[in-house]
């Protein structure tokens, strides 16, 4: 039975095959219904006609590559012209550096796309001697994304406190948080963590709060106490690593890689210098301006204006924070009554990015 003739369709015409029953045999039996491609140089100009691929084909709609593929009764073969073959060449690759961009708006700042260098290939044809350069892989930007979390119908806010620990106000704030089933994130100043305040850090961790660094000394010295970008790369990195170490020395655990920069000053240039040390830098939606000491009523009113997904900036250290303490006593029960929950930054970052 295997030697019996078969009938196949070639480009819509019936062809009988009685000997070899392959794609190549069908091509020849049909009178070579497609022409071969050409040998071309590195610029695509023809060097020699008919020296490319003999043909392209599909069997029953499925593209094929092996002309010795067997055919069976009723198969439909479609041939088309063969592709060109490029002359052999010597080639070299060079990287195309990727760009770094800072995009978006919002309190959460993190790497959204790691980026990748592109590739530029230079080829010199062995027959033509021509040289061409082309981009064979486009570079992908490294994107530092600022965004708002999309909390959907969840009424959650992130309470954050900077500049602690402070021997009096930090403990009072922890008491208020506990009374309101609230979790918060404390951005600590490393050189304020010592024997007298270590227990406050341990308590923050034990009660489910997130402890992050606000740098070692709030960018003192060349940073003028407010701006990492004024500092050298080594100084920037030291501010973060020492701040994290101060936390881990007390907790015995690896410190969070989420940080808040002094003054919220964290331009792309600083990101690039410290990106291997951190996962995110956190800003805020509501600045209570409690550091100005505007009165507890003003601070409380700012907190009460929270909307779902907001990050609220306050201070538990850096001076007298009695106004902040009093404001929290008023504002947290109010928000809780409105159905709000108080979560950490890590928890807030579990929500998707808001599409704006």
């Amino acid at each position: 039975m295997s030697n019996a003739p078969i009938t196949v369709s070639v480009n819509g015409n019936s062809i009988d095959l009685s000997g070899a029953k392959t794609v190549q045999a069908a091509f020849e039996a049909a009178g070579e219904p497609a022409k071969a491609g050409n040998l071309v140089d590195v610029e695509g100009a023809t060097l020699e006609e008919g020296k490319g691929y003999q043909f392209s084909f599909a069997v029953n709609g499925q593209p094929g590559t092996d002309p010795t593929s067997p055919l069976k009764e009723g198969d439909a073969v479609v041939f088309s012209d063969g592709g060109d073959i490029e002359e052999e060449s010597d080639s070299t690759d060079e990287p195309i550096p990727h760009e770094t961009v800072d995009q978006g708006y919002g309190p959460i700042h993190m790497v959204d796309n790691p980026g990748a260098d592109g590739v530029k290939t230079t080829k010199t044809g062995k027959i033509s001697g021509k040289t061409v350069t082309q981009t064979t892989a486009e570079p992908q930007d490294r994107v530092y994304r600022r965004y708002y979390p999309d909390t959907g119908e969840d009424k959650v806010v992130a309470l954050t406190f900077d500049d602690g620990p402070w021997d009096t106000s930090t403990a009072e704030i922890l008491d208020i948080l506990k009374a309101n089933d609230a979790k918060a994130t404390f951005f600590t100043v490393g050189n304020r963590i010592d024997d007298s305040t270590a227990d406050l850090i341990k308590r923050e961790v034990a009660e489910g709060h997130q402890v992050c660094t606000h740098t070692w000394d709030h960018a003192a010295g060349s940073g003028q106490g407010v701006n990492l970008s004024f500092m050298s790369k080594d100084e920037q990195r030291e501010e973060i690593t020492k701040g994290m170490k101060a936390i881990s020395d007390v907790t015995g655990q690896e410190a969070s890689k989420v940080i808040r920069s002094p003054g919220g000053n964290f331009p792309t240039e600083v990101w690039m210098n410290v990106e291997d040390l951190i996962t995110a830098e956190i800003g805020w939606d509501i600045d209570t301006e409690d550091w100005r000491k505007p009165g507890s009523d003003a601070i409380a009113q700012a907190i009460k204006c929270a909307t779902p997904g907001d990050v609220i900036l306050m201070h538990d250290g850096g001076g007298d924070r009695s106004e902040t303490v009093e404001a929290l006593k008023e504002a947290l029960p109010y928000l809780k009554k409105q159905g709000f929950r108080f979560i950490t930054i890590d928890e807030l970052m579990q929500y998707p990015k808001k599409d704006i």
Side-chain angles (χ1 to χ4, degrees):
M1 292 294 293
S2 61
N3 292 325
I6 64 172
T7 300
V8 298
S9 169
V10 175
N11 289 19
N13 300 311
S14 293
I15 298 292
D16 294 327
L17 298 178
S18 56
K21 303 175 183 66
T22 64
V23 170
Q24 183 69 45
F27 180 76
E28 294 169 359
E32 301 187 357
K35 67 177 184 178
N38 302 320
L39 177 66
V40 298
D41 64 25
V42 292
E43 291 182 338
T46 299
L47 290 172
E48 193 170 354
E49 292 186 353
K51 294 298 182 179
Y53 293 103
Q54 187 179 19
F55 54 76
S56 299
F57 71 93
V59 178
N60 301 325
Q62 298 299 313
T65 57
D66 183 2
T68 66
S69 300
L71 297 176
K72 62 182 185 299
E73 176 72 27
D75 279 346
V77 188
V78 175
F79 291 101
S80 54
D81 291 345
D84 294 335
I85 294 177
E86 186 178 277
E87 65 175 318
E88 292 186 0
S89 59
D90 293 317
S91 65
T92 58
D93 290 337
E94 296 180 53
I96 304 173
H98 65 276
E99 299 291 330
T100 298
V101 296
D102 197 327
Q103 296 180 349
Y105 302 92
I108 301 175
H109 193 192
M110 61 190 303
V111 175
D112 191 45
N113 187 330
D117 287 347
V119 178
K120 178 173 64 176
T121 301
T122 299
K123 298 188 295 185
T124 300
K126 290 185 176 181
I127 298 174
S128 67
K130 293 180 180 179
T131 296
V132 296
T133 299
Q134 56 189 179
T135 297
T136 49
E138 293 287 347
Q140 300 178 23
D141 288 344
R142 184 173 185 82
V143 178
Y144 299 127
R145 176 80 60 190
R146 300 178 190 270
Y147 73 93
Y148 295 97
D150 186 354
T151 59
E153 297 182 359
D154 291 352
K155 296 181 73 172
V156 295
V157 294
L159 308 172
T160 66
F161 298 91
D162 290 5
D163 295 353
W166 211 251
D167 54 1
T168 53
S169 50
T170 299
E172 293 178 282
I173 288 171
L174 286 170
D175 290 341
I176 299 168
L177 294 174
K178 187 173 184 179
N180 288 276
D181 301 313
K183 297 297 182 283
T185 302
F186 290 86
F187 290 98
T188 61
V189 176
N191 66 2
R192 292 178 183 160
I193 302 175
D194 56 27
D195 290 343
S196 67
T197 58
D199 285 344
L200 291 170
I201 300 296
K202 293 177 182 178
R203 181 182 170 188
E204 289 169 358
V205 173
E207 295 183 358
H209 305 295
Q210 184 175 350
V211 181
C212 306
T213 191
H214 193 39
T215 70
W216 168 248
D217 58 13
H218 213 278
S222 61
Q224 299 178 24
V226 72
N227 201 326
L228 287 172
S229 65
F230 295 160
M231 309 181 89
S232 69
K233 176 180 178 179
D234 288 344
E235 289 173 326
Q236 293 167 2
R237 294 178 64 83
E238 187 175 65
E239 281 285 331
I240 293 171
T241 56
K242 288 180 68 175
M244 290 178 173
K245 186 175 185 300
I247 295 170
S248 60
D249 283 349
V250 169
T251 65
Q253 305 170 5
E254 183 180 8
S256 170
K257 293 185 180 298
V258 174
I259 73 164
R260 175 174 281 156
S261 60
N265 297 307
F266 204 70
T268 303
E269 294 75 18
V270 177
W271 247 119
M272 295 172 67
N273 291 338
V274 303
E275 63 179 44
D276 59 311
L277 303 177
I278 69 174
T279 56
E281 193 273 334
I282 305 301
W284 53 84
D285 298 287
I286 296 175
D287 182 356
T288 63
E289 297 192 345
D290 59 343
W291 58 276
R292 295 182 183 272
K293 301 181 183 179
S296 61
D297 288 345
I299 299 169
Q301 186 57 41
I303 300 170
K304 290 178 180 180
C305 289
T307 60
D310 279 350
V311 177
I312 304 174
L313 170 63
M314 293 168 282
H315 297 77
D316 65 318
D320 178 7
R321 299 303 174 208
S322 58
E323 291 182 0
T324 302
V325 170
E326 292 305 311
L328 288 168
K329 291 178 181 178
E330 176 186 345
L332 295 196
Y334 171 86
L335 288 178
K336 189 175 179 182
K337 189 175 181 180
Q338 305 305 309
F340 279 92
R341 292 187 296 113
F342 310 101
I343 63 175
T344 65
I345 289 295
D346 273 354
E347 291 172 319
L348 187 64
M349 288 172 59
Q350 295 305 306
Y351 287 95
K353 300 177 180 68
K354 184 175 290 186
D355 185 15
I356 57 173

